[in-house]
């Protein structure tokens, strides 16, 4: 999955770090302050969760003196008492984690973070499992911490079983189980190693399918479903991690578009490894194991598997003892199917299912072959949050009121009617719920309030603040609040009449004065919408304080607007979404407060690719472009992401040739700054190397900055400052000072 770097999912990745500091000049925001601790956005916790019984809220908080280091905190939802459960500086060895774990963290978008980067409640709610420095720890609510593993190897994919009886994990590519009653450890597989792994998700499952698990416990702990991943047919690429102190090379199995994928099989076994049977997934092994879920009674396994072309998704019901399967139903598409995590298996063996069959993702109730539509309309459901089977209530997120906001809704799935909105208008909300659907943790922000978290009842009423993050005199952002630029929203019509939403931040305009524009672009599928009612990065505010107008527009191909909005890029990346960005550019140039000769464009990852395509498509229309970690050749990217949108190049290479950013690279005539991390395993450094070579051969002028040792996210306060000081100087030279 591509992701935005410095500012969009840069807002989620690099720019998650882009919100920080201590004022150098009173009331005057500086780049150095933007990147320093504490965060200008205040306390913005990660990994919000509720204990299974709803008694405790847990989260990861960064330290006031180190915005990249996280500790585990717990809040008693009854008393409001807040305390640190695990101090990451006091627990753990500080040992270097393995390269595989580093890459796993990159795929989880927590690369570069220190301390505790993830945790999981045990299903019985008695302990919290914390991986730290390659080992596993169990934290109790009384503050005690037990180190469970003590090995040089890194344990990954760790889980506490459903009843709390067992702890399972993968070490050296084999699956292990520890009986927590007697601390006896047992290997459930012995042949893992080399190209074979038991119990972990393969690369594309982690990177592109949002499936991080490779084994699944039944609700009664009697059986385990375990993935067996054979990568022997996957091409080996030599990945160079070029660092400041030398270059390390890694032989990595990487399934580039058009090449063989890993062969993934699924087995069922007892916790001691006995009574192992293979699950019948059909005769075609060139498929994706998309999702695995257990039935409440532990008798059945529900498996979603997807065809290689991603145009068919089958739901299988599997007997947990024999491995025999039956097809319940299939979803099909003429373009591609977007996976989701919304399957809910009810006690009566009926299902809640999400589908885009109407053109928008909506929820359905399936019962013995009969479908009941639960939601409908030209809006999308965006994730099931909770299920109350006693009352027949289903809680979910959706953008029903407007595409730029996200709200929590509830519906009676036995008697569906208009969904009831539980969150306040004017905010972008996320939510998690406890297992019993008794309490909600709601995280929200808007363009004038940084992220907040509160505890709510099932009607959405706020019971208490978990993290109010109030913008008062004590808040890190307080010295700059008076200069905070308001975000304005609007919409334009694309060439075919589709509505395109934009946002714009401006300095206080003076009549008759024209301003330079900084355009932030992503516009890729799957992730990365930028035009939302969420907190705007302080980096944007800094740019406005320096006289820039900051502008973004989400064009076709962007997610969460329905399939008819996404699908025009099918086998045609770099076409319609480029035209939509140019629609935004033309609108800007028509505004009397915009200096039409001073409009620069910035993007990272897919956004970096878009910068290349925009400069090629419209030479002379932008004053400059900054292209970070761009995809230049789509055949260098992985199977699941790329083939979803461009098809399989082994059968039809034309869409790849038309969509790449290399063929027309010599059309470059505007100033361009290219940036890439030299250890990037997402958009590999080879992409920029190919572009640099082509531009040099064509005697084209450009500027280039490579970051040794950095991956897809340029991490750390110092390097972030270096990155943005460089970008600012480049834009001042090429755009601000342009005659």
């Amino acid at each position: 999955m591509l992701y935005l770097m410095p500012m969009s999912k840069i807002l989620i990745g690099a720019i998650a770090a882009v919100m920080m500091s201590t004022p150098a000049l009173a009331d005057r925001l500086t780049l150095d302050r933007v990147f320093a601790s504490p965060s200008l956005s205040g306390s913005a916790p990660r990994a919000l969760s509720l204990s299974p019984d709803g008694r405790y809220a847990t989260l990861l908080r960064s330290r006031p003196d180190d915005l990249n280091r996280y500790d585990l905190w717990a809040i008693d939802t009854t008393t409001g008492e807040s305390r640190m459960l695990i101090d990451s500086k006091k627990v753990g060895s500080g040992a270097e984690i393995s390269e595989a774990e580093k890459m796993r963290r990159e795929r989880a978008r927590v690369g570069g973070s220190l301390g505790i980067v993830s945790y999981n409640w045990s299903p019985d709610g008695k302990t919290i499992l914390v991986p730290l420095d390659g080992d596993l720890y169990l934290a109790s609510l009384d503050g005690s911490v037990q180190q469970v593993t003590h090995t040089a190897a890194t344990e990954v994919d760790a889980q506490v079983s459903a009843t709390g009886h067992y702890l399972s994990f993968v070490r050296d590519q084999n699956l292990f189980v520890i009986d927590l009653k007697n601390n006896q450890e047992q290997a459930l597989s012995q042949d893992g190693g080399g190209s074979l792994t038991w119990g972990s998700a393969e690369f594309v499952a982690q990177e592109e399918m949002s499936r991080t698990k490779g084994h699944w416990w039944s609700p009664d702990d009697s059986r385990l479903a375990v993935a067996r991943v054979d990568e022997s047919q996957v091409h080996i690429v030599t990945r160079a991690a070029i660092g400041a102190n030398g270059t390390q090379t890694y032989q990595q199995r990487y399934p580039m578009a058009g090449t063989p994928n890993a062969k993934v099989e699924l087995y069922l076994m007892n916790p001691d490894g006995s009574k192992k049977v293979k699950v019948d997934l059909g005769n075609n092994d060139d498929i994706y194991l998309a999702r695995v879920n257990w039935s409440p009674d532990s008798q059945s396994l529900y498996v979603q598997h997807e065809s290689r072309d991603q145009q068919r998704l089958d739901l299988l019901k599997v007997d947990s003892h024999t491995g025999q399967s039956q097809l319940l139903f299939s979803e099909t598409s003429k373009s591609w199917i977007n996976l989701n995590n919304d399957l809910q298996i009810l006690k009566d063996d009926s299902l809640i299912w999400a589908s885009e069959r109407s053109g928008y993702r909506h929820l359905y109730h399936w019962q013995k072959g009969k479908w009941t539509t639960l939601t409908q309309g030209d809006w999308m459901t965006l994730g099931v949050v909770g299920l109350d089977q006693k009352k027949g209530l289903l809680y979910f997120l959706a953008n029903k009121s407007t595409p730029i906001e996200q709200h929590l809704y509830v519906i009676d799935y036995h008697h569906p009617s208009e969904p009831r909105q539980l969150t306040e208008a004017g905010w972008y909300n996320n939510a998690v719920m406890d297992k019993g659907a008794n309490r909600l943790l709601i995280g929200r922000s808007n363009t004038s309030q940084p992220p907040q978290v509160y505890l709510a009842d099932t009607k959405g009423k706020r019971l208490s603040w978990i993290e109010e993050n109030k913008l008062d005199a004590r808040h890190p952002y307080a010295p700059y609040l008076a200069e905070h630029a308001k975000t304005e929203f609007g919409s334009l019509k694309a060439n075919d009449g589709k509505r395109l939403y934009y946002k714009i931040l401006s300095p206080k305009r003076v009549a008759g004065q024209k301003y330079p524009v900084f355009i932030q672009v992503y516009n890729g599928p799957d992730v990365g919408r930028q035009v939302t009612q969420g907190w705007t990065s302080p980096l944007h505010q800094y740019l406005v304080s320096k006289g820039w107008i900051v502008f973004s527009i989400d064009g076709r191909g962007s997610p969460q607007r329905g399939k008819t909005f996404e699908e025009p890029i099918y086998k045609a990346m770099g076409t319609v979404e480029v035209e939509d960005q140019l629609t935004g550019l033309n609108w800007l140039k028509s505004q009397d407060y915009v200096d039409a000769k001073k409009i620069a464009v910035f993007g990272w990852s897919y956004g970096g690719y878009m910068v290349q395509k925009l400069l090629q498509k419209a030479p002379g229309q932008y004053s400059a472009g900054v292209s970070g970690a761009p995809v230049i050749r789509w055949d260098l990217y992985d199977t699941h992401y790329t083939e979803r949108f461009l098809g399989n190049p082994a059968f039809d290479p034309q869409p790849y040739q038309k969509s790449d950013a290399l063929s027309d690279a010599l059309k470059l005539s505007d100033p361009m700054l290219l940036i890439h991390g030299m250890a990037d395993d997402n958009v590999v450094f080879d992409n920029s190397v190919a572009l640099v070579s082509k531009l040099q051969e064509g005697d084209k002028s450009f500027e280039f900055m490579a970051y040794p040792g950095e991956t897809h996210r340029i991490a750390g306060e110092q390097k972030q400052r270096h990155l943005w000081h460089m970008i600012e100087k480049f834009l001042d030279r090429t755009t601000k000072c342009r005659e």
Side-chain angles (χ1 to χ4, degrees):
M1 180 188 299
L2 293 171
Y3 66 95
L4 313 102
M5 227 304 269
M7 250 163 58
S8 105
K9 222 168 183 185
I10 179 188
L11 259 172
I12 297 174
I15 249 197
V18 165
M19 317 176 159
M20 347 250 154
S21 192
T22 63
L25 294 174
D27 304 325
R28 187 69 178 178
L29 196 55
T30 66
L31 264 183
D32 286 350
R33 178 61 190 96
V34 165
F35 292 102
S37 301
S39 167
L40 282 177
S41 296
S43 181
R46 284 183 180 177
L48 297 170
S49 185
L50 279 167
S51 59
D53 62 2
R55 172 72 186 273
Y56 294 94
T58 48
L59 44 89
L60 298 180
R61 279 186 179 147
S62 61
R63 301 175 78 92
D65 59 343
D66 186 351
L67 60 92
N68 290 315
R69 176 174 285 277
Y70 289 83
D71 303 307
L72 178 63
W73 286 73
I75 296 107
D76 189 314
T77 60
T78 303
T79 66
E81 178 193 4
S82 175
R83 56 196 167 96
M84 184 188 290
L85 272 185
I86 299 183
D87 182 334
S88 65
K89 285 193 171 182
K90 294 182 179 179
V91 177
S93 62
E96 181 76 9
I97 59 173
S98 67
E99 181 66 17
E101 177 61 12
K102 288 179 183 177
M103 294 303 102
R104 176 184 287 267
R105 291 186 181 189
E106 282 295 312
R107 293 190 281 277
R109 307 301 184 248
V110 293
S113 296
L114 303 174
I116 300 170
V117 299
S118 64
Y119 70 92
N120 285 296
W121 276 95
S122 62
D124 63 4
K126 294 180 180 179
T127 57
I128 301 173
L129 174 64
V130 180
L132 186 60
D133 298 338
D135 281 312
L136 302 176
Y137 296 79
L138 285 174
S140 299
L141 296 173
D142 61 6
S144 63
V145 180
Q146 174 192 359
Q147 184 172 352
V148 183
T149 62
H150 305 73
T151 66
T154 298
E155 285 82 23
V156 299
D157 202 6
Q159 302 171 40
V160 177
S161 66
T163 68
H165 191 148
Y166 302 102
L167 173 65
S168 56
F169 56 86
V170 176
R171 179 197 296 146
D172 295 330
Q173 298 176 242
N174 282 302
L175 181 64
F176 290 78
V177 167
I178 294 177
D179 188 325
L180 292 175
K181 291 185 177 179
N182 55 28
N183 288 322
Q184 292 297 306
E185 179 180 292
Q186 180 177 357
L188 269 58
S189 65
Q190 288 80 32
D191 57 343
S195 61
L196 183 65
T197 301
W198 285 89
S200 280
E202 71 277 18
F203 173 86
V204 293
Q206 295 177 45
E207 177 66 36
E208 310 298 357
M209 298 163 60
S210 298
R211 177 171 67 78
T212 57
K213 287 186 177 183
H215 64 277
W216 301 263
W217 284 96
S218 65
D220 64 2
D221 282 1
S222 65
R223 298 286 274 169
L224 261 170
V226 183
R228 179 184 186 272
V229 178
D230 180 358
E231 294 184 296
S232 58
Q233 299 303 309
V234 178
H235 286 193
I236 297 176
V237 298
T238 301
R239 180 173 62 83
I242 305 171
N245 298 315
T247 298
Q248 289 184 295
T249 58
Y250 299 94
Q251 300 298 304
Q252 179 178 344
R253 300 269 180 181
Y254 186 89
M256 289 186 291
T259 67
N261 273 318
K263 180 181 179 181
V264 182
E265 298 173 328
L266 191 61
Y267 286 81
L268 287 155
M269 62 186 73
N270 286 351
D272 61 0
S274 65
K275 297 185 178 179
K276 182 168 68 176
V277 295
K278 183 179 178 181
V279 173
D280 178 13
L281 296 178
N283 297 323
N284 182 5
D285 60 10
D286 193 13
I287 54 97
Y288 294 106
L289 179 67
R291 299 288 184 270
V292 177
N293 298 85
W294 279 97
S295 63
D297 63 6
S298 300
Q299 297 304 302
S300 302
L301 196 67
Y302 288 80
V303 177
Q304 297 177 51
H305 76 60
E306 186 181 40
S307 60
R308 173 72 182 254
D309 63 11
Q310 299 178 61
Q311 294 180 343
R312 180 186 175 99
L313 181 69
D314 293 334
L315 180 64
L316 306 178
K317 185 177 181 180
V318 179
D319 186 290
S320 67
H321 299 286
T322 67
Q324 293 181 342
S325 64
Q326 65 175 115
L327 175 65
L328 294 184
F329 54 80
S330 301
E331 290 280 345
T332 60
S333 171
K334 292 182 179 179
S335 56
W336 72 83
I337 291 170
N338 290 312
L339 298 175
N340 64 73
N341 294 308
D342 290 342
L343 173 62
Q344 303 290 313
I345 303 160
L346 309 186
K347 292 177 181 178
D348 62 4
D349 219 22
S350 66
L351 309 173
I352 302 296
W353 180 259
S355 170
E356 292 183 301
R357 64 188 63 170
S358 69
Y360 296 87
R361 183 186 300 165
H362 282 294
L363 297 171
Y364 299 84
H365 187 194
W366 181 90
Q367 193 167 24
K368 296 180 180 179
K370 181 182 178 182
W371 291 95
T372 301
T373 301
L374 301 180
T375 64
Q376 56 188 323
D378 56 353
W379 51 276
M380 290 184 65
T381 59
L382 301 171
V384 170
V385 171
L387 178 69
D388 185 340
Q389 294 193 59
K390 291 180 180 178
K391 297 179 180 178
L393 298 178
L394 183 65
Y395 298 83
F396 60 93
L397 295 167
N399 59 7
K400 186 175 185 295
S401 57
T402 167
I404 67 172
E405 294 181 11
Q406 181 169 288
H407 291 286
L408 179 68
Y409 294 84
V410 65
I411 196 169
D412 183 332
Y413 61 83
H414 289 308
H415 307 94
S417 58
E418 191 71 8
R420 180 160 51 92
Q421 184 173 318
L422 301 180
T423 45
E424 183 183 347
W427 298 82
Y428 194 88
N429 298 272
N430 277 295
V432 294
M433 206 168 195
D434 64 286
K435 188 176 179 180
N438 298 308
R439 288 287 185 269
L440 286 155
L441 270 187
I442 296 177
R444 70 176 190 177
S445 72
N446 62 25
T447 58
S448 59
Q449 170 62 53
Q452 298 179 310
V453 182
Y454 63 89
L455 179 73
D457 63 18
T458 55
K459 295 181 180 179
K461 179 184 177 182
R462 186 171 71 239
L463 302 175
S464 62
W465 287 109
I466 299 297
E467 195 69 74
E468 186 175 8
N469 202 15
K470 190 175 182 180
L471 276 174
D472 57 19
R474 296 171 297 174
H475 196 280
Y477 193 61
Y480 317 104
L481 192 56
E483 299 300 317
H484 182 82
K486 181 182 178 182
T487 303
E488 301 173 41
F489 295 95
S491 65
L492 306 173
K493 284 190 176 180
N495 295 337
D496 65 352
K498 289 287 184 184
R499 188 173 296 278
L500 311 175
Y501 288 88
Y502 69 80
K503 70 177 182 182
I504 188 167
L505 291 84
S506 301
K508 293 177 181 176
R509 297 177 197 154
V510 177
Q513 186 170 335
K514 293 181 180 292
Y515 299 86
V517 180
F518 178 98
I519 297 178
Q520 165 75 37
V521 62
Y522 185 73
N523 212 152
D526 195 35
V527 297
R529 287 181 61 233
Q530 298 177 86
V531 185
T532 66
Q533 182 65 272
W535 173 242
T536 302
S537 164
L539 181 59
H540 290 162
Q541 295 292 333
Y542 168 77
L543 292 169
V544 171
S545 77
K546 300 295 284 187
W548 292 90
I549 287 173
V550 177
F551 177 85
S552 289
I553 188 168
D554 287 336
R556 257 81 59 85
S558 298
Q560 301 180 358
R561 290 288 307 280
K563 284 299 292 290
T564 56
F565 194 83
E566 288 183 81
E567 284 180 329
I569 66 165
Y570 184 57
K571 296 190 176 182
M573 280 178 165
T575 57
V576 65
E577 75 271 44
V578 169
E579 294 295 338
D580 287 349
Q581 291 298 321
L582 294 177
T583 296
L585 175 67
N586 293 332
W587 177 81
L588 281 170
K589 289 188 173 186
S590 71
Q591 305 307 299
D592 59 9
Y593 53 85
V594 168
D595 189 332
K597 294 181 180 179
K598 297 181 178 181
I599 302 178
V601 59
F602 164 91
W604 201 273
S605 199
Y606 199 100
Y609 164 73
M610 285 295 294
V611 169
Q612 297 295 328
K613 299 297 282 187
L614 287 165
L615 296 183
Q616 293 168 12
K617 175 72 174 180
Q621 296 302 302
Y622 295 93
S623 57
V626 180
S627 177
V631 179
I632 300 299
R633 288 176 43 193
W634 283 109
D635 59 338
L636 292 176
Y637 208 66
D638 69 56
T639 51
H640 195 272
Y641 181 93
T642 321
E643 292 178 14
R644 189 186 324 162
F645 308 116
L646 293 179
N648 191 328
F651 303 115
D652 183 9
Q654 258 198 337
Y656 286 75
Q657 295 162 2
K658 291 180 178 178
S659 295
D660 74 24
L662 198 61
S663 302
D664 291 332
L666 297 186
K667 291 182 178 179
L668 178 71
S669 62
D670 302 304
M672 188 269 290
L673 171 61
L674 178 65
I675 307 166
H676 216 126
M678 299 178 79
D680 194 336
D681 85 324
N682 186 327
V683 179
V684 293
F685 190 53
D686 294 20
N687 281 274
S688 282
V689 171
L691 178 62
V692 166
S693 178
K694 182 75 174 278
L695 294 175
Q696 289 171 341
E697 288 174 1
D699 193 24
K700 291 290 182 178
S701 296
F702 63 100
E703 298 182 35
F704 182 37
M705 178 59 69
Y707 283 87
E710 294 300 306
T711 57
H712 201 51
R713 171 182 181 263
I714 310 302
E717 294 180 22
Q718 292 79 10
K719 288 189 179 179
Q720 283 279 328
R721 285 198 295 268
H722 179 274
L723 172 69
W724 282 97
H725 278 301
M726 175 188 61
I727 291 172
E728 183 177 35
K729 289 174 183 176
F730 172 77
L731 294 177
D732 283 350
R733 278 189 285 109
T734 60
T735 301
K736 257 192 174 181
C737 298
R738 184 174 182 174
E739 294 298 327

